[in-house]
Every structure is written in C-alpha cells, then in structure tokens.
Amino acid sequence: MKLYNTMNKRKETFEPVTPGEVKMYVCGPTVYNLIHIGNARPMIVFDTVRRYFEYKGYKVNYVSNFTDVDDKIINRANEEGVDSETISERYIEECKKDMAALNVKEATTHPKATEEIDGMIEMIGKLIDKGFAYVAKDGTVYYRTRKFKDYGKLSHKNLDDLQSGFRALQVTGEEQKEDPLDFVLWKPKKEGEPSWPSPWCDGRPGWHIECSVMSHHYLGDTIDIHAGGEDLVFPHHENEIAQSEAANGVPFAKYWMHNAFLNIDNVKMSKSAGNFFTVRDILDQYDGQVIRYFMLSVHYRSPLNFSKDIVESAKNAYERIVTCAENLNFLLKSASGEMTPEEKQGTEEAESFRAQFEKAMDDDFNTADAISAIFELVKWINSHVDEKSSAAFLQALRKELLELTDVCGLIVERTPDVDADESAYIEAQIARRQEARKNKDFAAADAIRDELLQKGIVLEDTREGVKWHKE
Ligand code: AMP
Ligand code: ZN
C-alpha cells in the first residue's frame, strides 16, 4: 500500500509504527460557524482513508480535534453577546450533524482544545526548559524557530526566504520577538476573552500548540499519519513539527497527507466573492451521499471543482449504484437455492473488480479509479442477474457491492421511509393488482395503482416484476 508523503514529496510504502495499527490525526475545524463545503473535503477524504485501513484489517485510532478557542469564536460570541463556549458548543453539535449526513464516522476521540490546557502548559514548559521557547515581558511565550534545525522540512521552505517574507509582513506589537520567524505558544488575556492561569500569565494558547498536545495525548510520541487540507502545510503543520519534535525528541509523524482545495465554478470560495456555501446549504438540495460521491470522484490531491452540473452528474452516477443494489434486493425476495457452476464461476469474475478496486486504493487512495471499479462491477451485475439467479449468487454479489461501497462510506441500500406495516400493505396491493391484470380487469388494476399513488407510492413495471418507491 502506497501513500504520498508531503514530507518527502513522493509515494511511499505504508509501514505502521505498530504492526496492525494505524494512529492518525486529522486537524479539525474551528467551530465559530456552520462548516463550509470545503471543510467537508478533508472530513470525507480521511474518513475514507480510515475506512480502507479498517477494511484491510488494521485497527485505526482516529483523532480529530475541534478548535474551540480562537479569535473568530470570540468575535462571534461578542457579536451575539454570549460566551465563547456557547458558540463553540453550538457549532460542534451542528458540525456533528453535518458529519452524520455525510456518513463520516465519529472519530475514536474528538478532543477539544479547551479541555487540554494542562497538557499545553506542560509542553510549553518543556520547550522553555529545553531553550526552544522564551517568555517576553508581557508574559507571551514564543517558539524560538531558528533553534529547530529542521524548520521548513515539511513545506520545503528555506529559513532565509521566510525571514525576508516575514519582515515585510511584520506587524506592530511583535517587537518583543527575538526574531520575526518566532511564533506564539501562549498569549496574555485581553478583556472579555476566555483565559486560563499559567506560570507565565493568565492567557490562552496559540493555535499550533493544540494539535501537538492533543496528538501526543491520544496517540503517543510518533504517529503514523497526520493529515489536513493543503493550506495547513505552512505554517500550521511546520510549527506542529517544530514543537512536537523539540519537546518529545522523536519524529512526530511518519506520513503527512494533504488534500487539495475545493473551488466553486473554478474560483476560490470566499464570502467576499459571494460564492460561499455551507454544507447545510448544499444538503438542502442534495442527499449527503451525493456530496460524498462527488468528493470521492476526484483524487484527493487534485483540485476539486464544485459546480451544479458536476454535482448533478454525481447524483445520476450514485443513483445507478443504488438502482443496482435495489434490483439485487428485489430479486432476492423471490430467489432461493445454491449457486450453479456457472454462477460460481461468475462470482470469481465479479471478484476481479474487487482486485481492481483495491489496486486503485493501494495507489495513494485513488478513489476516482476505485469508483470506476465499482461501476464495472455494477455493469457486470446488471448484465448477469435475473429472476432465475440463485439466492446464493445474488447474496455474493450484494456482499461484494456493499463491502466496496462501504469503504467509500457510500450507503447504497436506502432504508425505505415506510414502516413494516405500510410496506406489507403495499406488497399486498401490488399482488392484488397483478391478479386483476391477469384477469384482464384493468380498471381494478389501475384503481389500485392510483390509490397507491395518492399515498405517494409509485409503481414501476419492470422486466423483473413490479417495483415501488416513494415519490
Ligand atoms: P479550518 O476550520 O479553516 O481550520 O479548516 C478545517 C479543515 O478544512 C482544514 O483541514 C482545512 O485545510 C480544510 N479546508 C478549508 N477550506 C478548504 C477548501 N476550500 N477545500 C478543501 N479543504 C479545505
Ligand atoms: Zn492541527
């Protein structure tokens, strides 16, 4: 299994730190608003990475944080006249609802920054003791960037280039830094902000220290995979490496994975450009499964363009998989028996699509090609099953289809939104209608169809028999 490591700029064979286990940390959202459609990309991509590892038999410890102390949260709280916890708790709940709609699994742990302050104070203390951090007059603690010899190794940046860039950007109030490259680990509180006591001043942590501490707390010294969107490579992940490796004295993560950005109609999404969409906006128009399918239809390291046409075609493609699963279940209702020798051979042929799927996923999680393999399987199933197929054959194909779609987190067997009684009634009415048609009593047959239609149930006469769905 190979994955692209941003650190070494090449695909590398995956070898876990602990055999059979995967420890991964994915930087999560800052919770001051509903998450936007771009935020959904890392959630879906890395959830799929996790699912594939699990499919392969690994035990995955998946940690993804909520950044619940930040300027944006504080501003929003001030605007609404509430405390920042009210804001962060509200948007953590909303974020969890969006994740559920997108079928993103709950992380093994979803730590919150505000619940890890002790660990942050401890790590900052360690960095000060080792000479990697210093306390300024007002109690701000800075990281001494130049002291960390490997600084820039992830983003492939050179310290002197960075230095000139930073000079140009220098802002007032930072004169107390020893060097423009130094970054904040702890800052003094301001009026109306949440704060915690520390040996340096009452204050709050900088953003980067959170992830170093939470990753270490839940996953230990060296983890397998650290991931997030490509905008996090610099400075966030670079700074995390500097903090963690200086404090712990061992490599922080073996593999660094970054997804490319999602754009809207080929333009960067932004509020000022008027092309900003929350996940909730899109869920008003499309099923979460369609969004998920759309996100995985392009390799995670390629930019992804969101447009109405592309999402519409994702919807049609996803529906084709659903129809195939529905057809299998429909045939299964009246099928029985073991496989014929031809069917046995058929299942072997169908298994070749699983091999194709795995080959694509083993190649840096190429979900675009993996989905093509699912389509090959769907095509094969559609042309190899009918009313004469045995139950065992249909079950074997159904199992393969569900296992592969489940790796992608795609739910292709929709739970009918009718209860068991209603479903039994519909089936009985369909049987009565069939009987009426057999007796050439077409008026009675049509009356039954119309009665069901009034209840929102649409009948469909197909080659294999009568199917129904809700309008
Ligand atoms: P934030 O709340 O801005 O820290 O973002 C949370 C996650 O979403 C990070 O992994 C970001 O890299 C990622 N992200 C933000 N915007 C986009 C986008 N337009 N496309 C893909 N990923 C994004
Ligand atoms: Zn992070």
Side-chain angles (χ1 to χ4, degrees):
M1 196 168 170
K2 292 203 175 235
L3 52 82
Y4 184 89
N5 190 353
T6 308
M7 178 78 83
N8 300 324
K9 287 186 163 175
R10 56 162 193 256
K11 287 184 199 168
E12 295 176 348
T13 302
F14 179 72
E15 279 159 11
V17 175
T18 310
E21 283 181 29
V22 180
K23 295 186 261 277
M24 64 190 287
Y25 186 97
V26 181
C27 292
T30 305
V31 278
Y32 68 102
N33 205 342
L34 291 173
I35 58 164
H36 63 64
I37 190 67
N39 297 141
R41 192 174 193 195
M43 285 178 181
I44 293 172
V45 161
F46 298 115
D47 177 65
T48 305
V49 166
R50 169 198 191 165
R51 285 169 182 267
Y52 187 59
F53 277 119
E54 286 173 345
Y55 166 85
K56 285 279 200 172
Y58 287 96
K59 183 171 163 282
V60 182
N61 192 343
Y62 190 99
V63 177
S64 189
N65 65 298
F66 288 118
T67 294
D68 62 346
V69 53
D70 177 88
D71 288 344
K72 294 193 198 103
I73 301 173
I74 296 166
N75 292 343
R76 176 96 196 218
N78 290 341
E79 274 164 34
E80 289 194 22
V82 295
D83 59 14
S84 40
E85 198 181 340
T86 305
I87 298 293
S88 57
E89 284 304 315
R90 181 198 303 160
Y91 290 110
I92 286 173
E93 284 319 303
E94 296 300 337
C95 177
K96 285 186 172 173
K97 283 187 208 159
D98 287 338
M99 284 167 64
L102 299 170
N103 202 24
V104 171
K105 285 194 192 188
E106 281 249 1
T108 316
T109 315
H110 272 300
K112 293 180 208 160
T114 54
E115 292 174 0
E116 307 284 335
I117 303 288
D118 289 351
M120 297 185 211
I121 290 174
E122 194 188 318
M123 189 180 272
I124 295 169
K126 218 186 242 181
L127 289 170
I128 295 173
D129 291 347
K130 290 188 170 191
F132 283 97
Y134 57 94
V135 189
K137 250 199 250 125
D138 67 354
T140 307
V141 185
Y142 290 103
Y143 187 92
R144 192 171 271 133
T145 303
R146 278 185 190 277
K147 168 116 175 125
F148 186 68
K149 291 290 165 263
D150 285 340
Y151 195 83
K153 69 178 172 179
L154 179 71
S155 52
H156 308 102
K157 288 186 194 291
N158 161 314
L159 277 181
D160 294 326
D161 293 347
L162 282 174
Q163 173 95 44
S164 49
F166 268 63
R167 276 229 178 82
L169 286 171
Q170 223 180 47
V171 285
T172 49
E174 300 225 310
E175 306 82 26
Q176 49 176 1
K177 280 187 185 181
E178 287 177 1
D179 186 314
L181 289 177
D182 297 348
F183 59 89
V184 172
L185 298 173
W186 187 266
K187 54 185 150 196
K189 80 165 182 192
K190 288 196 205 126
E191 200 46 44
E193 290 187 358
S195 65
W196 292 263
S198 83
W200 318 291
C201 62
D202 279 5
R204 61 184 169 105
W207 172 36
H208 315 299
I209 195 75
E210 287 177 19
C211 291
S212 282
V213 167
M214 293 188 265
S215 175
H216 189 255
H217 182 170
Y218 295 97
L219 299 171
D221 276 349
T222 300
I223 70 169
D224 293 297
I225 298 174
H226 197 112
E230 65 186 0
D231 58 322
L232 300 185
V233 175
F234 185 85
H236 187 52
H237 287 166
E238 197 70 70
N239 291 355
E240 283 189 40
I241 293 173
Q243 296 164 160
S244 294
E245 299 195 354
N248 304 326
V250 292
F252 183 27
K254 275 188 91 172
Y255 308 95
W256 290 86
M257 293 179 74
H258 296 98
N259 64 273
F261 258 40
L262 171 145
N263 297 313
I264 309 282
D265 294 319
N266 290 314
V267 178
K268 189 170 185 283
M269 179 165 66
S270 78
K271 282 202 173 128
S272 53
N275 64 353
F276 182 91
F277 299 103
T278 62
V279 167
R280 210 56 67 80
D281 293 332
I282 310 296
L283 283 173
D284 282 344
Q285 299 169 51
Y286 295 98
D287 188 333
Q289 294 297 302
V290 171
I291 302 174
R292 184 149 186 139
Y293 180 94
F294 156 76
M295 293 271 181
L296 297 177
S297 62
V298 169
H299 187 253
Y300 75 93
R301 283 190 293 115
S302 301
L304 176 62
N305 188 34
F306 186 96
S307 77
K308 205 163 167 53
D309 287 354
I310 300 173
V311 182
E312 277 298 328
S313 71
K315 181 178 173 198
N316 294 335
Y318 164 68
E319 288 296 336
R320 274 172 56 204
I321 312 177
V322 171
T323 306
C324 176
E326 271 173 1
N327 195 32
L328 286 174
N329 282 315
F330 178 78
L331 292 171
L332 269 165
K333 276 199 261 178
S334 45
S336 63
E338 294 306 314
M339 284 190 225
T340 63
E342 296 84 73
E343 286 182 337
K344 260 204 190 107
Q345 209 186 329
T347 52
E348 277 162 32
E349 222 174 284
E351 278 294 315
S352 69
F353 304 114
R354 186 196 293 273
Q356 197 180 319
F357 177 92
E358 289 182 10
K359 187 164 170 251
M361 291 299 277
D362 283 344
D363 182 15
D364 191 29
F365 304 95
N366 191 335
T367 53
D369 285 359
I371 286 180
S372 301
I374 293 179
F375 269 103
E376 295 285 317
L377 174 65
V378 164
K379 247 180 14 210
W380 192 94
I381 294 175
N382 289 345
S383 59
H384 287 80
V385 301
D386 57 28
E387 317 81 274
K388 294 189 283 305
S389 303
S390 72
F393 181 55
L394 295 169
Q395 277 299 8
L397 297 175
R398 174 174 171 269
K399 182 167 180 281
E400 184 180 348
L401 183 65
L402 294 190
E403 282 175 2
L404 301 190
T405 48
D406 186 55
V407 171
C408 300
L410 291 171
I411 301 168
V412 296
E413 285 188 342
R414 283 194 280 237
T415 36
D417 41 7
V418 294
D419 63 24
D421 285 349
E422 197 182 349
S423 165
Y425 173 74
I426 296 166
E427 295 291 349
Q429 287 298 76
I430 290 174
R432 281 185 50 217
R433 175 169 171 264
Q434 291 300 79
E435 192 59 30
R437 286 169 85 181
K438 224 166 76 194
N439 300 332
K440 306 232 177 314
D441 186 355
F442 296 112
D446 287 351
I448 294 171
R449 193 195 52 207
D450 292 346
E451 180 244 350
L452 288 175
L453 194 59
Q454 290 247 310
K455 295 194 164 98
I457 306 296
V458 182
L459 300 189
E460 216 186 316
D461 295 306
T462 75
R463 186 164 64 91
E464 293 101 357
V466 186
K467 296 179 179 173
W468 62 268
H469 63 266
K470 271 216 153 175
E471 248 180 333

